[in-house]
Amino acid sequence: MILKGVTLPNGEVTDVEIESGCISSIKRTTSSGLDCDGLVLLPGFVDLHAHLRQPGFEESETVLSASQSAAAGGYTTVFAMANTEPTQDSPATVQYVSCLGEQVGLVRVRPIGAITKGLQGKELAPLAAMAASSAQVKVFSDDGNCLVNVDLMREALLEVKKFGGVIAQHAQDHQQTVGAQMNDGKLSIELGLTGWPRAAEEQIIARDVELAIETDSRLHVCHVTTAGGVEVIRWAKAKGAKVTAEVTPHHLLLNEELVRSYDPVYKVNPPLRTEEDTFALRRGLLEGTIDVLATDHAPHSKERKECEWQSAAFGMVGFEIAASVLFKVLILEGEGDWNDFARIMSIKPSEIGGLTKIGNPVEGSVADLVLFDPTTSRVISKQTHSLSTNNPWAGLELPGRVVHTMFQGRLTVKDGELVG
Amino acid sequence: MKHLVSIRDLSRQDALSLLSSAQELSQVNERSIKKLPTLRGRTVVNLFYENSTRTRISFEIAAKRLSADVINVSADSSSVTKGESLKDTAQTLEALGADCIVLRHPTSGAAHQLANFGWINSSVINAGDGTHEHPTQALLDALTIQQKLGEDLSEMKVLIVGDIRHSRVARSNAILLGMLGARVEFAGPDSLVPIELKNLAASISNDFDVSIANKPDVVMMLRVQRERMLENFKDSQREYINQWSLSRERLQKLAKRTLIMHPGPINRGLEISPEAAEDPRSVILQQVKNGLAVRMAVLHRLLSEEQ
């Protein structure tokens, strides 16, 4: 197959030929092929943080529906969070999830292993065994159950260091967030909703980067949301800590003012912060303090969101808007370029997740590719390919669109539609 | 006007007109036959997810005086997470003919959701949602002040004392009284009167005695919720009483025309001394009476305009 007239991240316009799942040549040809005039060619996106909900919560999402939604968003690799039922805390479960992904075959599904058994924060899960399994787990996280126990955290960092793994921490000091519902501040007081102090996030990040320095092991900070959090990570990187960080599309673009509607579609953990925080996160991303965009795609069935704010579940869907949000804040409104875009969406996340052979498209590399149209814009509909509709982006107009997605040389999305 | 969810839903004009209609309707409560035919054939449902006998009875009598049919539903708020959802319950009540749902709910925002999410067409009155708002309480307090101190509240000094952080009464009052021109001061321990509250009130005080020395026109004591106080106020109960109770000594320092208010039910000997509660300056029972008038006015406004 030949992709005709693609624009490379560096601006060059050329043709790309795909043979047996790999890029065989990048040069102008006279042969005909798929017209990609005006489309930017990027490496397939890699999402380090998503909830696929299978096994255990199939009413919200399955590996199939999540893979479809991810492919539609330009993803070719998705890291599946460990909070399934049963928990992804054993070789058997991670291999099962990995197999489900292979059966669907739309994206590469890489399970994240739980750090502790059952996400209980009491006893380490068999990390090395999960790493050695066919699922090749490299990323470990207790997700929303932030690992507060300092001894276990240190032990986990030392354990993953042996096989080049990474601990991904959802930074939240639970003592400070009992019953918390939204960002702590004037607005939470006005709305009568329990506040979620910034310190609850920042002090865990601060402690963890110290541990990462002490153990010389790799720490990945999940979904940073505060200006202070960005500062702590900047400091840690300057000290040479092996720390990386992610930000979500919603924390880049949405802010706490939306909570005024009391619509639980805006309820998310960690919470939407202030507009100033969104600006600090954008700067952090551009300068590289924050390494990657990760969706924290968190589908929930209707009844978990159609209820009182305090009873509602935390989380929102995100696969199908992520690229547009980044395009808007990084390129249209920021000073980033397509190389930054590829670094944030694909190259860095694949490095952090321990994947091989994913980078800027070159001859010989695996044909995991996205063709993105930066000239169009679209109004987001509530229903996406996800089984769930907890979609705060519904009705908003966002720039750009994923036109084609290619996974291992095969089109999974063509002209915005799923293939087969 | 279809719903009353927050004082913020009201313009100054709306508020003044509700107050004057409440003043008129309060006459009905003095008659021997205390009934008007206005809402005959209309159905008002009191949907209470929190126990509040006083508020429920007040709404019930108010609706009955306007000849509406009244149904009381007390729902267990623990069923919020397991049993029937608020949406399903409200839709069921509407299918049974409810024209207005009076909602008391422990979750902030519940009344807002019921009114604005397209779940039902009925009118919604917020009878207290979590730590957010309690608009009819604010209206009845404003009416009481008007009756005792004059209709124009401009520059009137209203001191609200206690656990402001968790008080829907304080929030609604601060917004309404501020809108009507009064200068509201919040007073209480730092942990219960966080600085973030300062845009709701004209000023914040952490010394009751200094606030009293400033000669407030109204002192409104909030009910202390014991469990909550112990959780947030780290000193002892005795310490709280020393600093924040309207004691005999403080009572003596109040000016002659200062009103003593309390949304009730009162904890005698805790936030308010028995002497203060029974002082001639105390208008606590007048507040209860005005609750009826205000709720009649609100029901009348929401349900008769809709017809």
Side-chain angles (χ1 to χ4, degrees), chain B:
Chain B
M1 195 169 139
K2 178 156 185 195
H3 309 292
L4 179 60
V5 169
S6 160
I7 289 294
R8 290 184 200 280
D9 297 343
L10 302 175
S11 66
R12 186 184 148 86
Q13 200 44 51
D14 290 335
L16 287 170
S17 122
L18 273 175
L19 289 170
S20 84
S21 129
Q23 181 59 39
E24 278 173 39
L25 286 163
S26 67
Q27 311 304 321
V28 176
N29 296 323
E30 307 301 328
R31 294 185 200 160
S32 54
I33 297 175
K34 302 178 174 64
K35 198 131 179 160
L36 292 175
T38 328
L39 298 184
R40 203 163 48 196
R42 313 284 275 169
T43 302
V44 174
V45 175
N46 289 323
L47 176 57
F48 275 50
Y49 284 85
E50 257 181 359
N51 278 330
S52 172
T53 313
R54 312 163 57 92
T55 307
R56 207 248 308 137
I57 291 176
S58 181
F59 270 105
E60 180 172 356
I61 296 176
K64 285 181 169 166
R65 295 224 165 135
L66 295 173
S67 304
D69 295 322
V70 184
I71 312 292
N72 293 314
V73 179
S74 41
D76 179 6
S77 67
S78 69
S79 73
V80 167
T81 42
K82 6 188 184 168
E84 193 175 45
S85 70
L86 175 61
K87 177 184 168 183
D88 290 331
T89 303
Q91 286 181 341
T92 303
L93 293 171
E94 183 165 85
L96 289 168
D99 298 295
C100 177
I101 294 181
V102 177
L103 181 71
R104 163 68 70 106
H105 201 287
T107 298
S108 299
H112 178 94
Q113 292 181 307
L114 205 54
N116 296 303
F117 280 20
W119 296 344
I120 53 170
N121 291 314
S122 317
S123 286
V124 174
I125 298 175
N126 183 3
D129 64 321
T131 55
H132 180 226
E133 281 217 47
H134 193 357
T136 55
Q137 177 72 41
L139 287 163
L140 74 88
D141 289 337
L143 180 62
T144 308
I145 300 172
Q146 280 186 327
Q147 287 171 346
K148 297 289 176 185
L149 300 180
E151 228 167 85
D152 184 7
L153 303 192
S154 307
E155 297 307 310
M156 207 162 273
K157 288 195 264 183
V158 180
L159 177 64
I160 306 181
V161 186
D163 180 359
I164 311 285
R165 179 194 274 272
H166 299 103
S167 174
R168 51 195 172 210
V169 173
R171 275 176 186 69
S172 289
N173 260 308
I175 301 166
L176 178 63
L177 298 176
M179 183 161 73
L180 298 177
R183 292 183 51 79
V184 176
E185 176 160 283
F186 288 150
D190 289 332
S191 58
L192 302 179
V193 189
I195 195 73
E196 288 86 355
L197 278 162
K198 70 170 186 279
N199 53 343
L200 276 180
S203 53
I204 283 186
S205 153
N206 51 20
D207 189 327
F208 197 2
D209 297 305
V210 170
S211 294
I212 286 179
N214 287 334
K215 302 204 180 314
D217 299 289
V218 176
V219 176
M220 187 183 295
M221 303 304 299
L222 298 176
R223 177 179 164 78
V224 165
Q225 284 176 291
R226 287 164 202 267
E227 326 75 54
R228 204 165 250 167
M229 188 193 81
L230 292 177
E231 193 180 298
N232 287 277
F233 187 69
K234 304 301 176 196
D235 297 323
S236 64
Q237 182 165 311
R238 179 184 298 273
E239 192 75 348
Y240 185 89
I241 292 171
N242 285 342
Q243 293 180 40
W244 301 107
S245 172
L246 187 54
S247 59
R248 251 179 315 202
E249 295 72 30
R250 291 196 175 102
L251 184 62
Q252 284 163 9
K253 291 185 191 138
L254 290 183
K256 252 201 179 116
R257 71 190 287 270
T258 301
L259 299 184
I260 298 169
M261 301 179 76
H262 192 297
I266 60 177
N267 292 309
R268 281 170 190 257
L270 188 42
E271 73 272 4
I272 189 165
S273 62
E275 291 81 359
E278 287 160 20
D279 192 272
R281 290 166 288 186
S282 158
V283 290
I284 296 174
L285 292 175
Q286 186 64 27
Q287 290 175 270
V288 176
K289 278 192 184 176
N290 283 336
L292 274 182
V294 155
R295 286 162 185 137
M296 285 167 76
V298 170
L299 284 165
H300 184 265
R301 179 67 49 90
L302 301 189
L303 292 179
S304 62
E305 274 180 13
E306 202 188 306
Q307 275 176 321

Side-chain angles (χ1 to χ4, degrees), chain A residues 327-341:
Chain A
F327 174 52
K328 179 179 166 73
V329 303
L330 184 77
I331 296 180
L332 292 183
E333 294 171 6
E335 285 124 39
D337 59 22
W338 289 110
N339 282 316
D340 295 317
F341 193 98

Side-chain angles (χ1 to χ4, degrees), chain A residues 184-186 188-194 260-264 302 305-311, chain B residues 8 80-81 86-87 105-110 112-113 117 119 131-132 165 171 194 196-197 199:
Chain A
D184 188 42
K186 275 185 202 147
S188 66
I189 291 278
E190 181 185 330
L191 297 179
L193 293 171
T194 308
R260 283 187 186 280
S261 68
Y262 288 105
D263 188 338
K302 216 173 169 187
K305 286 290 193 179
E306 260 193 359
C307 56
E308 297 86 325
W309 181 279
Q310 282 169 47
S311 313
Chain B
R8 290 184 200 280
V80 167
T81 42
L86 175 61
K87 177 184 168 183
H105 201 287
T107 298
S108 299
H112 178 94
Q113 292 181 307
F117 280 20
W119 296 344
T131 55
H132 180 226
R165 179 194 274 272
R171 275 176 186 69
E196 288 86 355
L197 278 162
N199 53 343

Side-chain angles (χ1 to χ4, degrees), chain A residues 96-131:
Chain A
Y96 173 61
V97 171
S98 179
C99 280
L100 288 174
E102 276 169 35
Q103 281 165 16
V104 172
L106 288 171
V107 295
R108 191 177 288 105
V109 172
R110 296 295 301 258
I112 294 173
I115 308 171
T116 63
K117 284 186 185 165
L119 308 170
Q120 293 301 304
K122 294 191 177 126
E123 188 186 352
L124 283 193
L127 308 186
M130 286 190 269

